[in-house]
Amino acid sequence: MRKIFQLLCLLIIITSLNACSSDKDQDNGVNSDELSYTLNTGASANELLSDSRFSKIIIEAIYVDGFKPEQASLNNLLSFLNDRLHKPGGISIIEREIPAQALGTYSITEVRQLEDNIRTQFSVDDTLAIFVLFTDDSNENDSGNSVILGTAYRNTSLVMFQKTIEELSGGLNQPSRVNVETAVYEHEFAHIMGLVNIGTALQSDHEDDTNSAHCNVDGCLMNAQLETFNPLNMMNIMGSGIAQLDAQCIADLQANGGK
Ligand SMILES: [Zn+2]
Ligand SMILES: [Zn+2]
């Protein structure tokens, strides 16, 4: 009896889900099949890299008032994405500003909730949508000599801790702001492309044993030092220009539909 009841509940849930999606299809006037935006980081790597399901990308870049990324950094990001992703229909960015959030430091749970409230672009038809938030405060887990500059926290969602990035760049004995922004933005995007070994399979043994989802090649864009590191080492890591993906990371992306 209990089993029948459970089954009935499941049927009701499935029926109401169907009702929701067909309402949506009618609204759009097309037979759309939306890709969920709440999957794990790396789960949509192939959809991002190849053009088999989506031929275009739209990036919804939302920054808190006063924390706008440099245009040159966004241009660098676009050229990085065009080098790696098969998107014949193009990759574009829509920018939007939101007021100060007054949340204090951010937990990833708070970032997820904020996204659920403000995200307006979703992956339907031939267009994959990516959400990027530029925050007005730091990650709650930062401690004196270890700070987090960005996090890829869902299949098409990224957060850049813009206040922290600005504090650690552009000053005396600091790398330029554009260099740091570019490296962090590209690093986080590469995580949703499935690097390293999170949705894009390894073609060679280069995953960092102590920092999972990162590359063990010194100087590679996917080295863990780029995302969480001691600010005192900043010049060593970023002082000599913007890190690039090494050959092993690129081979992984190519084997999963990328360029
Ligand atoms: Zn990382
Ligand atoms: Zn690498």
Side-chain angles (χ1 to χ4, degrees):
M1 188 59 196
R2 192 167 181 173
K3 203 149 201 178
I4 293 173
F5 179 70
Q6 284 174 344
L7 203 68
L8 202 65
C9 288
L10 193 68
L11 274 176
I12 291 168
I13 293 168
I14 290 172
T15 317
S16 41
L17 280 176
N18 278 340
C20 290
S21 55
S22 42
D23 282 354
K24 210 165 207 172
D25 290 353
Q26 277 169 6
D27 287 345
N28 293 340
V30 284
N31 187 19
S32 61
D33 183 13
E34 189 173 309
L35 175 75
S36 169
Y37 75 96
T38 58
L39 307 178
N40 289 337
T41 309
S44 302
N46 179 260
E47 285 84 349
L48 208 71
L49 290 162
S50 77
D51 65 351
S52 55
R53 181 163 173 190
F54 298 104
S55 59
K56 297 178 202 166
I57 288 182
I58 191 148
I59 299 169
E60 184 174 23
I62 300 186
Y63 54 87
V64 179
D65 183 18
F67 293 88
K68 184 176 161 58
E70 295 280 345
Q71 193 56 48
S73 309
L74 296 179
N75 292 345
N76 287 342
L77 172 67
L78 279 178
S79 99
F80 169 77
L81 295 176
N82 279 308
D83 283 348
R84 303 272 74 95
L85 310 179
H86 281 290
K87 296 298 165 193
I91 302 172
S92 53
I93 301 183
I94 327 174
E95 292 180 40
R96 191 151 61 86
E97 183 186 290
I98 57 169
Q101 294 300 299
L103 288 168
T105 56
Y106 285 82
S107 67
I108 292 300
T109 305
E110 285 172 330
V111 171
R112 283 199 183 94
Q113 284 165 353
L114 187 55
E115 176 185 10
D116 293 341
N117 293 336
I118 63 177
R119 181 169 176 147
T120 66
Q121 304 295 317
F122 301 93
S123 304
V124 283
D125 303 326
D126 58 355
T127 307
L128 180 81
I130 298 172
F131 172 89
V132 190
L133 178 69
F134 300 85
T135 65
D136 53 348
D137 214 320
S138 53
N139 184 293
E140 65 169 9
N141 294 323
D142 285 359
S143 66
N145 56 7
S146 167
V147 297
I148 297 169
L149 299 180
T151 303
Y153 60 93
R154 281 173 169 162
N155 57 325
T156 59
S157 308
L158 312 169
V159 56
M160 308 304 175
F161 294 101
Q162 188 67 17
K163 179 169 176 262
T164 313
I165 291 172
E166 292 184 16
E167 282 169 2
L168 294 176
S169 62
L172 193 66
N173 295 322
Q174 288 182 330
S176 82
R177 183 162 149 200
V178 170
N179 278 14
V180 177
E181 285 184 345
T182 301
V184 175
Y185 302 166
E186 292 179 359
H187 178 101
E188 300 310 331
F189 267 81
H191 277 313
I192 59 172
M193 296 177 206
L195 292 178
V196 172
N197 203 16
I198 51 165
T200 288
L202 293 177
Q203 302 302 303
S204 60
D205 180 17
H206 66 107
E207 187 176 7
D208 186 333
D209 292 333
T210 44
N211 300 289
S212 64
H214 290 94
C215 177
N216 65 12
V217 174
D218 275 347
C220 174
L221 178 69
M222 294 318 287
N223 197 284
Q225 283 193 306
L226 262 162
E227 183 178 55
T228 313
F229 57 85
N230 185 331
L232 298 173
N233 292 335
M234 193 88 177
M235 275 314 272
N236 294 339
I237 302 159
M238 304 224 190
S240 53
I242 301 162
Q244 310 286 316
L245 288 173
D246 79 306
Q248 295 179 91
C249 281
I250 291 175
D252 291 355
L253 296 180
Q254 288 172 341
N256 194 23
K259 287 189 205 165

